[in-house]
Amino acid sequence: MQVPAPFEYERAESVQHTLALLERLGDDARVVAGGHSLLPMMKLRLATPEYLVDINDLRGELGYVVVAEDMVRIGALARHADLLGDEALAAVFPIFRDAERLIADPVVRNWGTLGGSLCQADPSEDLTTVCDALDAECVITGSGGERVVPMAEFHQGPYETAVGDAELLTEVRFPVRPGGSSAYQKVKRRAGDWPVAASAVAVWLDGGTITDARVALTAVGVEGTVDVDEALVGRPPSEEAFAAAGALASAASDPVTDARGSADYKRHLAGELTVRALRTAVERALTSTPTSTP
Amino acid sequence: MTATPETTTRPDRQRRQTEFEDNDQKPVGHGRMLRKEDPRLVRGRGRFVDDVQLPGMLHLAILRSPVAHARIVSIDTSAAQAHPKVKLVVTGEMLAEKGLAWMPTLSNDVQAVLATDKVRFQGQEVAFVVAEDRYSARDALELIDVEYDELPAVVDARRALDPSMPVIRDDLEGRTDNHLFDWETGDAEATEAVFARADVVVTEDIVYPRVHPAPMETAAAVADYDRVDGKLTLWSTSQAPHAHRTLYAIVAGLPEHKIRVIAPDIGGGFGGKVPIYPGYVCAIVASLLLGVPVKWAEDRTENLTSGSFARDYIMRGEIAATKEGKILAIRTHVLADHGAFNGQASPSKYPAGFFGVFTGSYDIEAAYAKVTAVYTNKAPGGVAYACSFRITEAVHLVERLVTSLALEMGIDQAELRLRNLIKPEQFPYETKTGWVYDSGNYEATLRESMRIAGYEELLAEREEKRARGELMGIGVSFFTEAVGAGPRKNMDILGLGMADGCELRIHPTGKAVVRLSVKTQGQGHETTFAQIVAEEIGIPPEDIDVVHGDTDNTPFGLGTYGSRSTPVSGAAAALVARKVRDKAQLIASSMLEVSVADLEWTKGSFHVKGDPSAAVTIQDIAMRAHGAGDLPDGMEGGLEAQICYNPENLTYPNGAYICVVDVDRGTGEVKVRRFIAVDDCGTRINPMIIEGQVHGGLVDGLGMALMEIIEFDESGNCLGGSFMDYLIPTALECPDWETGFTVTPSPHHPIGAKGVGESATVGSPPAFVNAVVDALHPLGIRNIDMPMTPSRVWDAIQGHPRPPV
Amino acid sequence: MQVTMTVNGTEVTEDIEPRTLLVHFLRDTLGLTGTHWGCDTSNCGVCVVWVDEQPVKSCTMLAAMAGGKAVRTVEDLERDGVLDSVQQGFMECHGLQCGYCTPGMMMTGRWLLDHNPDPTEQEIREAISGQICRCTGYSTIVRSIRWAATQGQGSPVTHTTETAGTPS
């Protein structure tokens, strides 16, 4: 079996302790949460940190999912299984359950965390896209306090994030606006596989008209959201409108051919899955009772 | 035994309920019986090779080539040797000094244990390190500095014979190209004549891509050389411990009696544990040099990139028929990619394995095949993954061709097969390529699968769905397997005849031990063989200990692969039991003071004809055989026998499979909704185990059909080197398999049994593909290659199918 | 470094390298070889054990990370000589062949039944979908866990080696 190169292990007891450790250990330190992205990289010796700071004991501090009227706040140590099982979260953002059902597998979901997924910053990672579609903001904590970074600035390229050496992603915030819903559609070759492509959609309606829509794509070479306003905003939901939005998503994508699929196919999927996600999200928005917060 | 097939049918699905209801019965012999190996395995108390811990044991790790083709300029091991926990670093050059740098393959080629001159595939063994613990051994690999002078890699088998291609095997004297062999079977002229007069000819280019058996347990070995008595004990993941021992004696120059190969519990083999891998030899060399036990366990990347691959056949097939749908002839040209060394594990006289059965289950007039094999810069292997020596490729070819013909002619797939299947009265049936099929009742088997499937209703449902624009497909395949190699005069591996020994000893109290030459990797030998002996001699299976997987304690034989355990060793077990029973009968006659002819055998005892009360049990006889009482004149004491069984022919299990799929037109995703498998493996010893074997093969077939492939980029880098990239089905892709059976005993096997371990792996891939092709046929598609990933299906729908290689 | 954890109800303290993977700690340090390993990338799940009552792929957790926690392995399924109904189910329904993935499958199966005593076939398939079996094709594993669901936990074992049905 492949094994990691040697390193020193530190176990953090609190956010403040984590920051102190990171400050002391410098840029040779990596934070480990669930470890299901980092440890395989370390076994392959693609990652060789000198120090590993285990933050799993911070679960009491950072393992929360708080659904409030205007804002959802999720601690960075919330596990995939937590996000999948949270009924309040599913009511507001059904996209989380859509996505989490298809991320890795149930055992991995017991340990993998939201923060770990975002900080690994794999271009094929699902939750980044979900966060993009939901217009999330990331709370990054350093010794000088917190700073809030929008998703658009959080990722700075594959495997690169805005989190500095002595900083920790502590929370992700999601604004809640009335009249909306969301959905995630993904194609993969097999359960547990990374996506061939996926589409995350959030949509808001008012009186039968689409007022806003956000579309983000996974694994097709697009960062951030795709502008689909032209196709959807100000229009009633229709197959034609969805198709137009799908066409925009396809056009925006810039995938590569690899073992998961041809570039043509992935470009097609960007559109097809966007259409399907729009159908679901709009149906959800229309069937949720108008008085409740979507 | 009768040459007339006796066929009975009964679906397993109905059986299952009854089996649970009356499980207070215990079979003395054949029947559903829980496995004897399970109590230890469910407690986590199996003993696999990596579980072996010996005092003072060191750990070995192998440095492998990062490139597919390169000259080795230099290797600097000084930093690794300086590692405080490293005990030994060995390169190919050092092995060459001892004459151990090269070893024979199972196909009479040679393969580098550690590369000396060149590396010839990515993942090839270059050096090894032995250290105090497994982590340090891995660390030290990073300290070895190898300078490579890279050469162009031969990746595309179609271009391997181009004069511009570098010669991979320049180690072989006089070698000027990458040609390995040409092999042909059948009658080219006669076939051409039949094709010339056929009404319909259909041609398909069919690629069976490279796949990997990938057992959950990778290959591993613990070598323990005792310098005092000069004996080497090797625990290894071996499907063929006796053959391995003989080869080690030849390679390492150790006397054969000073080698003991132990294959303990094995975590799946599927043919991947038939070859001898360089890692085993490295562990032996290290233990010889250091005089302490040395463990090697390959990681998953090593397993996938250097372990024995399977398939890699590029086939052009042609099928000729009359306008009434009578199949007349089949012809094929195959380009076989054997990788950098010819490590194919198949009988010496069969360079293309048993591909010669490509005429399938049909009564045809002529057939011809030509196989051209080439070297490429890829890992060696070729026969693995439950392929029955390349019958998978043969069955895939013919079953894809038959469905293509059906679609082309507008005849239903099942109907076309029914018109052409070999008829019961034609057995024994000699094919146009010289194989003598022993028995079968093919039509009954196919009709049983159609009955379970509700075939007519499925056809109607498909038509309804098509009318709505939905893509539903039904795939049919019918296969005939050829398993149980030998006979030994025709079949050998490196000169070792394919026959199996078996030894049975009845203890004085009537308990027994049976010793096998074959070795389970999960097939349940400890149960099945106890049942075979129990059936013959009437001792309950739980009173029979099955010993296997230890060359010091079992008779010689060629091992478990090619579904040969039940056909060959199963026959040996039955016959050795009959031999013991014959002796028991003589003793019984003296105990009961009647002539042998006056005795009647009921399972477990002899009694005087017409007087059931005058009886002696096998236990009574065992005590007499070992006791102080009189035995018949001239008889030695004891109740035991040994046999070496040489099969007179292969056995020919067969089956009919039906697959139902739904294809998502927008995403290309294939959902396998149902799969019906009706198998005929002759006499059924343990129906539970047989069903398990079939299920296992079906998931193999699903994997190959939908997701499994070992691909390479143009530089020869393996793209399937981890389980992130080499996908194996999970429970979510699999339907609940539906099985049924017919029983047509083998006329020449002592108990009428045929093999079944690989039937479903062989027979199911074309059913999956035929189902998808059937679904896509309204879109003008008649062929799609495996693996049918969403992208490849969608690309085919768009009219841009991509061959996998 | 020194690590202390509870393994199958017994507290153990060992000196280890910080990089020691939990699977190696269990197998090599403690000799609990019932837990296996099959890949390097946390895809195959033959290494599944429980840590603080949650299944985890022990090849993807450091032993250090399990410090202070309670680990349960296949060796702890049998209690006081009585097999867990999941173990019994795997034997009854032929849920194993080579037995290599079996410990991990059973640990997940037991966890599932503790949280969902009457799972559907689909729920069982979902629960074991991160674990690969190369032998069985999964149907018999699903049946095995269903069998256990019908027995309840800790049902007495009436026969451990054989039962039989109608001869073929």
Side-chain angles (χ1 to χ4, degrees):
Chain A
M1 212 176 130
Q2 295 170 30
V3 295
F7 56 82
E8 295 298 321
Y9 173 86
E10 299 281 355
R11 188 184 279 211
E13 291 159 7
S14 66
V15 172
Q16 286 314 313
H17 184 217
T18 308
L19 297 174
L21 284 169
L22 292 174
E23 209 138 274
R24 176 160 66 80
L25 301 173
D27 62 1
D28 293 323
R30 287 286 297 266
V31 166
V32 64
H36 280 63
S37 300
L38 182 58
L39 284 174
M41 301 269 282
M42 289 171 65
K43 284 196 264 181
L44 298 166
R45 305 207 173 186
L46 297 171
T48 51
E50 282 185 33
Y51 301 94
L52 213 54
V53 178
D54 177 357
I55 61 166
N56 281 286
D57 285 354
L58 277 58
R59 226 171 113 67
E61 225 176 325
L62 298 180
Y64 54 86
V65 178
V66 177
V67 178
E69 197 163 332
D70 59 346
M71 172 84 75
V72 170
R73 297 187 304 119
I74 304 179
L77 273 180
R79 309 233 189 247
H80 292 297
D82 300 332
L83 301 177
L84 177 60
D86 195 297
E87 295 297 337
L89 181 65
V92 181
F93 296 134
I95 189 172
F96 266 105
R97 189 162 285 176
D98 292 347
E100 287 291 1
R101 282 170 52 86
L102 303 173
I103 290 175
D105 62 68
V107 177
V108 170
R109 292 199 291 262
N110 283 339
W111 296 91
T113 64
L114 171 63
S117 295
L118 295 188
C119 289
Q120 181 69 19
D122 189 299
S124 299
E125 195 276 312
D126 298 284
L127 289 183
T128 298
T129 318
V130 170
C131 291
D132 280 330
L134 295 179
D135 202 15
E137 293 179 321
C138 297
V139 180
I140 298 171
T141 305
S143 54
E146 290 181 357
R147 61 195 180 97
V148 178
V149 174
M151 275 308 294
E153 293 164 27
F154 182 78
H155 282 133
Q156 306 184 333
Y159 309 102
E160 302 270 341
T161 72
V163 182
D165 286 337
E167 291 185 316
L168 186 67
L169 172 66
T170 47
E171 183 182 280
V172 187
R173 295 175 180 164
F174 304 83
V176 178
R177 290 188 275 149
S181 194
S182 54
Y184 196 68
Q185 284 276 339
K186 165 160 134 179
V187 166
K188 50 197 170 43
R189 294 173 297 176
R190 190 207 66 189
D193 187 25
W194 293 83
V196 179
S199 176
V201 162
V203 65
W204 290 263
L205 291 96
D206 186 9
T209 302
I210 297 171
T211 57
D212 193 9
R214 296 176 62 87
V215 170
L217 303 169
T218 307
V220 291
V222 189
E223 290 207 11
T225 53
V226 176
D227 186 351
V228 292
D229 288 359
E230 180 193 332
L232 297 172
V233 175
R235 299 175 196 275
S238 68
E239 281 297 312
E240 292 70 29
F242 299 160
L248 290 171
S250 279
S253 62
D254 185 20
V256 294
T257 296
D258 59 18
R260 293 197 178 93
S262 65
D264 282 349
Y265 173 64
K266 293 179 186 178
R267 197 175 296 112
H268 161 77
L269 277 187
E272 177 73 26
L273 298 180
T274 296
V275 170
R276 294 183 184 197
L278 277 167
R279 270 185 210 134
T280 306
V282 165
E283 192 189 325
R284 284 171 176 167
L286 292 175
T287 51
S288 64
T289 52
T291 49
S292 71
T293 308
Chain B
M1 232 27 57
T2 165
T4 313
E6 288 170 15
T7 300
T8 57
T9 70
R10 198 170 169 196
D12 269 359
R13 281 208 138 204
Q14 291 170 15
R15 286 179 61 82
R16 211 181 293 144
Q17 201 51 46
T18 28
E19 280 159 359
F20 285 139
E21 279 163 8
D22 52 16
N23 64 4
D24 53 330
Q25 297 176 28
K26 291 184 181 184
V28 180
H30 305 170
R32 187 183 200 270
M33 170 181 151
L34 299 198
R35 300 200 319 165
K36 289 160 66 85
E37 37 275 269
D38 288 355
R40 68 172 186 274
L41 294 171
V42 298
R43 287 171 169 87
R45 287 174 61 181
R47 196 188 199 204
F48 297 87
V49 174
D50 195 41
D51 300 344
V52 174
Q53 300 258 33
L54 300 177
M57 187 175 75
L58 301 175
H59 294 263
L60 184 147
I62 295 175
L63 182 72
R64 293 175 182 275
S65 171
V67 295
H69 200 191
R71 288 203 182 283
I72 295 174
V73 178
S74 63
I75 304 180
D76 181 354
T77 62
S78 53
Q81 273 166 326
H83 188 291
K85 291 190 171 174
V86 166
K87 300 294 181 191
L88 180 69
V89 183
V90 171
T91 63
E93 201 176 329
M94 295 163 67
L95 285 186
E97 286 164 15
K98 302 176 188 305
L100 293 171
W102 294 83
M103 63 179 191
T105 71
L106 297 182
S107 279
N108 282 306
D109 193 355
V110 291
Q111 172 176 0
V113 176
L114 295 177
T116 51
D117 51 341
K118 290 203 302 188
V119 289
R120 293 175 171 85
F121 66 93
Q122 188 191 45
Q124 188 180 339
E125 298 79 1
V126 173
F128 73 78
V129 168
V130 181
E132 288 173 19
D133 61 82
R134 54 173 111 217
Y135 285 41
S136 299
R138 291 263 160 185
D139 292 344
L141 295 183
E142 312 248 304
L143 302 174
I144 300 174
D145 188 19
V146 185
E147 190 186 335
Y148 295 102
D149 179 11
E150 238 181 293
L151 300 165
V154 181
V155 180
D156 183 353
R158 297 178 185 89
R159 295 190 53 214
L161 299 179
D162 288 359
S164 64
M165 284 289 139
V167 178
I168 298 166
R169 295 303 302 279
D170 48 359
D171 59 299
L172 301 173
E173 208 168 303
R175 177 68 61 175
T176 58
D177 60 23
N178 296 315
H179 183 251
L180 177 53
F181 65 78
D182 282 320
W183 173 86
E184 55 184 349
T185 186
D187 187 330
E189 271 179 45
T191 306
E192 175 53 34
V194 175
F195 266 85
R197 65 175 162 80
D199 301 322
V200 187
V201 172
V202 169
T203 305
E204 292 294 1
D205 286 314
I206 294 165
V207 178
Y208 209 136
R210 178 175 283 234
V211 289
H212 199 282
M216 297 320 296
E217 178 205 34
T218 59
V222 176
D224 183 13
Y225 181 66
D226 185 326
R227 282 180 173 167
V228 176
D229 65 10
K231 182 140 185 172
L232 171 74
T233 303
L234 182 77
W235 286 262
S236 72
T237 48
S238 172
Q239 295 180 224
H242 287 281
H244 280 194
R245 180 186 57 178
T246 304
L247 290 179
Y248 291 131
I250 294 166
V251 175
L254 287 170
E256 197 167 357
H257 69 295
K258 291 292 189 185
I259 304 173
R260 177 182 182 188
V261 176
I262 298 173
D265 284 321
I266 294 182
F270 315 108
K273 291 169 180 171
V274 176
I276 288 180
Y277 292 118
Y280 302 155
V281 178
C282 291
I284 292 171
V285 169
S287 188
L288 289 173
L289 291 174
L290 296 167
V292 295
V294 175
K295 176 186 282 185
W296 168 70
E298 77 186 353
D299 65 37
R300 183 55 65 185
T301 299
E302 294 180 285
N303 175 254
L304 289 168
T305 57
S306 70
S308 188
F309 76 93
R311 326 292 191 253
D312 223 341
Y313 261 32
I314 299 171
M315 305 182 277
R316 165 160 291 189
E318 296 169 275
I319 187 165
T322 67
K323 58 182 183 304
E324 292 80 26
K326 172 81 187 81
I327 301 170
L328 299 173
I330 297 171
R331 177 164 65 186
T332 181
H333 285 80
V334 178
L335 180 61
D337 184 339
H338 277 239
F341 307 102
N342 187 18
Q344 173 171 297
S346 60
S348 303
K349 291 172 189 165
Y350 298 83
F354 295 171
F355 186 79
V357 301
F358 69 94
T359 57
S361 313
Y362 308 103
D363 181 24
I364 63 175
E365 293 177 16
Y368 173 72
K370 181 177 181 189
V371 178
T372 298
V374 298
Y375 288 116
T376 60
N377 288 115
K378 300 175 192 169
V383 161
Y385 203 177
C387 74
S388 297
F389 303 122
R390 298 214 186 262
I391 295 177
T392 31
E393 290 93 321
V395 165
H396 194 66
L397 176 86
V398 60
E399 290 307 295
R400 286 289 304 108
L401 285 174
V402 170
T403 286
S404 282
L405 179 67
L407 292 171
E408 192 62 26
M409 300 187 71
I411 303 173
D412 175 75
Q413 293 171 72
E415 170 59 28
L416 183 63
R417 285 176 171 85
L418 286 169
R419 284 184 205 173
N420 288 281
L421 288 171
I422 298 164
K423 298 194 172 10
E425 61 273 19
Q426 289 177 284
F427 291 93
Y429 178 87
E430 182 169 357
T431 72
K432 291 295 180 262
T433 48
W435 300 75
V436 181
Y437 294 1
D438 57 351
S439 64
N441 192 349
Y442 293 176
E443 179 177 340
T445 306
L446 178 52
R447 289 203 185 278
E448 175 66 359
S449 71
M450 294 166 72
R451 187 191 66 74
I452 296 173
Y455 193 72
E456 294 303 320
E457 291 83 352
L458 284 173
L459 291 179
E461 183 192 351
R462 184 189 64 186
E463 292 321 302
E464 282 170 31
K465 293 214 157 133
R466 274 188 185 164
R468 294 203 296 267
E470 292 171 33
L471 302 177
M472 170 183 163
I474 304 164
V476 179
S477 72
F478 196 101
F479 69 91
T480 298
E481 266 258 71
V483 303
R488 63 198 294 271
K489 73 176 166 36
N490 294 334
M491 295 176 192
D492 69 275
I493 288 184
L494 292 184
L496 300 172
M498 300 183 81
D500 282 353
C502 190
E503 191 185 297
L504 175 62
R505 188 180 301 168
I506 314 294
H507 304 310
T509 57
K511 313 293 182 187
V513 56
V514 58
R515 300 171 191 277
L516 315 176
S517 58
V518 288
K519 166 66 206 165
T520 184
Q521 312 111 46
Q523 298 93 334
H525 288 16
E526 290 165 36
T527 310
T528 298
F529 283 83
Q531 291 186 267
I532 292 172
V533 172
E535 178 77 21
E536 297 300 329
I537 207 153
I539 294 174
E542 53 270 34
D543 288 351
I544 302 168
D545 195 23
V546 176
V547 175
H548 62 152
D550 178 350
T551 55
D552 269 10
N553 288 302
T554 55
F556 187 89
L558 267 259
T560 291
Y561 45 84
S563 301
R564 64 188 297 281
S565 292
T566 298
V568 187
S569 270
L575 292 178
V576 83
R578 288 175 194 177
K579 216 166 154 179
V580 166
R581 197 174 71 201
D582 287 346
K583 179 172 180 179
Q585 187 167 9
L586 293 174
I587 298 171
S589 78
S590 98
M591 290 170 79
L592 294 168
E593 295 175 339
V594 294
S595 75
V596 166
D598 288 334
L599 286 174
E600 204 161 78
W601 169 254
T602 50
K603 204 185 276 183
S605 66
F606 285 102
H607 64 265
V608 178
K609 279 180 183 166
D611 180 9
S613 66
V616 286
T617 66
I618 194 80
Q619 289 80 6
D620 300 333
I621 297 166
M623 187 56 84
R624 173 62 71 101
H626 292 88
D630 285 345
L631 290 173
D633 283 349
M635 179 181 282
E636 292 175 12
L639 190 55
E640 56 196 68
Q642 180 160 6
I643 193 177
C644 182
Y645 177 75
N646 176 27
E648 70 174 71
N649 187 7
L650 297 157
T651 65
Y652 294 79
N654 49 81
Y657 292 174
I658 296 176
C659 176
V660 183
V661 300
D662 297 298
V663 179
D664 184 325
R665 194 169 181 165
T667 63
E669 291 168 292
V670 174
K671 172 76 189 164
V672 178
R673 196 204 309 168
R674 289 182 67 195
F675 199 102
I676 297 94
V678 173
D679 275 86
D680 191 331
C681 59
T683 301
R684 294 159 64 81
I685 298 156
N686 185 325
M688 177 188 85
I689 287 178
I690 291 170
E691 187 194 34
Q693 294 294 294
V694 171
H695 284 195
L698 296 178
V699 72
D700 290 347
L702 185 144
M704 287 180 277
L706 296 186
M707 60 190 79
E708 294 181 33
I709 183 170
I710 298 282
E711 279 184 289
F712 296 84
D713 70 12
E714 63 277 9
S715 306
N717 297 307
C718 179
L719 304 178
S722 80
F723 276 167
M724 279 194 285
D725 304 302
Y726 191 75
L727 301 180
I728 294 170
T730 76
L732 286 174
E733 286 74 39
C734 297
D736 190 21
W737 311 108
E738 301 170 57
T739 58
F741 62 91
T742 57
V743 177
T744 315
S746 169
H748 64 80
H749 187 280
I751 58 175
K754 304 178 176 186
V756 74
E758 299 164 314
S759 285
T761 316
V762 167
S764 67
F768 291 104
V769 179
N770 287 343
V772 173
V773 166
D774 184 59
L776 301 183
H777 188 60
L779 307 176
I781 289 166
R782 207 183 61 192
N783 184 40
I784 180 165
D785 282 315
M786 302 184 289
M788 301 181 294
T789 60
S791 176
R792 295 169 44 73
V793 170
W794 185 85
D795 290 333
I797 293 173
Q798 305 316 304
H800 310 295
R802 291 181 299 140
V805 292
Chain C
M1 66 176 285
Q2 202 173 61
V3 67
T4 298
M5 68 181 82
T6 304
V7 178
N8 298 336
T10 303
E11 186 172 286
V12 294
T13 300
E14 297 284 345
D15 276 315
I16 57 166
E17 274 195 89
R19 60 173 166 164
T20 306
L21 298 167
L22 179 58
V23 66
H24 286 142
F25 179 76
L26 294 170
R27 289 176 50 79
D28 294 352
T29 309
L30 302 183
L32 294 171
T33 53
T35 302
H36 303 137
W37 57 269
C39 74
D40 303 298
T41 46
S42 65
N43 294 100
C44 80
V46 305
C47 62
V48 168
V49 300
W50 290 9
V51 173
D52 278 358
E53 305 284 318
Q54 292 277 318
V56 64
K57 295 184 177 179
S58 62
C59 78
T60 311
M61 177 175 273
L62 301 171
M65 292 167 75
K69 299 184 190 305
V71 176
R72 188 180 185 200
T73 70
V74 64
E75 285 88 350
D76 191 46
L77 281 179
E78 182 182 14
R79 294 274 172 88
D80 302 325
V82 178
L83 288 185
D84 190 288
S85 58
V86 171
Q87 291 172 301
Q88 183 70 10
F90 271 71
M91 295 199 298
E92 291 285 346
C93 302
H94 196 26
L96 69 154
Q97 290 181 27
C98 79
Y100 201 73
C101 76
T102 314
M105 289 288 183
M106 294 191 304
M107 293 310 289
T108 301
R110 172 42 52 208
W111 186 87
L112 174 69
L113 295 179
D114 285 352
H115 293 79
N116 179 359
D118 188 24
T120 64
E121 176 188 332
Q122 189 59 26
E123 286 167 339
I124 295 170
R125 287 181 182 272
E126 172 69 31
I128 61 170
S129 64
Q131 294 165 249
I132 296 172
C133 171
R134 203 64 162 140
C135 296
T136 63
Y138 302 107
S139 284
T140 56
I141 294 179
V142 173
R143 287 180 210 161
S144 301
I145 296 173
R146 273 301 315 161
W147 188 96
T150 64
Q151 304 297 304
Q153 164 63 334
S155 63
V157 180
T158 51
H159 34 239
T160 56
T161 52
E162 72 285 304
T163 59
T166 48
S168 68

